[in-house]
């Protein structure tokens, strides 16, 4: 998995260097993340998202995307009373943080004050569940959004992504919704 991620990232980096971007944008904002890290229920976490996009063509850019989300999740466990077999299944709440680093192409088009976009990104995710451990996995994101131009170089972004991870040997289907400020250069 690590070799696949390294190959994909080097392919995108090589393409980006060959087409030195002369324009692009920087985004930073609030992010809501709904994850199914546990088999018991889904967790609603809050955090941030930041991205840097360099345009290689007027309608196509390469984007590097970073995020961090924080909250708590109900996790399954086992309690084994002293001198009282058998062990019984229990649920415990754990503080959870997840960070993702993704890179990939983004297609967009400007229509008046609006700039809709679609993206497909690949990279690495890392989760830390206090008292349950941590894990790193391959991550993918498919989604899109809309930038609304406020003034010449500043816009407001609304973005939604489906993020897939595979932490602790299980498959997670996550939803990430973000909003914040975009500065174009």
């Amino acid at each position: 998995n690590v070799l696949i991620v390294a190959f994909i990232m080097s392919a995108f980096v090589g393409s980006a260097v060959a087409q030195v971007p002369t324009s692009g944008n920087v985004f930073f904002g609030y992010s809501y993340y709904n994850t199914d890290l546990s088999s018991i229920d889904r967790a609603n976490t809050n955090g941030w998202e930041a991205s840097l996009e360099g345009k290689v063509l007027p309608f196509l850019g390469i984007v590097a995307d970073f995020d961090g989300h924080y909250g708590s999740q109900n996790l399954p466990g086992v309690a084994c009373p002293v001198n009282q077999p058998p062990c019984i299944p229990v649920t415990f709440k754990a503080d959870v943080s997840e960070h993702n680093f993704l890179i990939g192409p983004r297609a967009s088009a400007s229509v008046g004050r609006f700039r809709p976009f679609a993206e497909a990104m690949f990279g690495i995710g890392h989760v830390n569940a206090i008292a349950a451990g941590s894990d790193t996995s391959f991550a993918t994101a498919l989604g899109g959004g809309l930038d609304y131009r406020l003034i010449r170089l500043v816009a407001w972004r609304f973005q939604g992504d489906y993020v897939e991870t595979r932490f602790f040997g299980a498959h997670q289907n996550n939803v990430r919704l973000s909003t914040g400020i975009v500065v174009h250069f």
Side-chain angles (χ1 to χ4, degrees):
N1 285 343
V2 174
L3 290 175
I4 293 170
V5 171
F7 174 75
I8 291 170
M9 288 181 166
S10 65
F12 284 124
V13 169
S15 297
V17 169
Q19 304 287 329
V20 176
T22 58
S23 65
N25 63 71
V26 176
F27 164 74
F28 185 78
Y30 164 78
S31 185
Y32 163 83
Y33 197 67
N34 181 271
T35 182
D36 64 346
L37 195 61
S38 166
S39 60
I40 297 173
D41 63 2
R42 297 187 66 86
N44 298 312
T45 61
N46 297 289
W48 55 270
E49 180 183 0
S51 67
L52 172 65
E53 177 184 10
K55 293 289 195 177
V56 292
L57 295 171
F59 60 89
L60 183 65
I62 300 297
V63 63
D65 184 276
F66 311 89
D67 69 37
H69 296 91
Y70 315 93
S72 59
Q73 171 82 57
N74 291 323
L75 299 172
V78 177
C80 298
V82 177
N83 300 325
Q84 298 273 326
C87 296
I88 56 172
V90 296
T91 300
F92 68 97
K93 187 173 280 260
D95 289 335
V96 174
S97 65
E98 182 174 335
H99 295 88
N100 296 301
F101 168 71
L102 305 163
I103 189 168
R106 177 184 286 163
S108 63
S110 293
V111 182
R113 288 185 156 298
F114 299 95
R115 187 179 73 95
F117 62 88
E119 58 196 9
M121 298 179 291
F122 311 90
I124 297 172
H126 180 78
V127 69
N128 186 13
I130 306 301
S134 65
D135 195 18
T136 301
S137 86
F138 183 70
T140 60
L142 296 173
L146 180 72
D147 290 352
Y148 176 74
R149 188 177 69 236
L150 301 172
I151 58 176
R152 187 173 176 277
L153 297 176
V154 179
W156 195 264
R157 176 170 292 171
F158 302 94
Q159 179 176 336
D161 295 293
Y162 161 76
V163 181
E164 180 183 44
T165 54
R166 298 183 190 285
F167 297 124
F168 303 112
H171 181 223
Q172 292 87 36
N173 297 299
N174 312 303
V175 176
R176 179 177 69 181
L177 302 173
S178 304
T179 188
I181 197 83
V182 181
V183 177
H184 293 269
F185 56 88

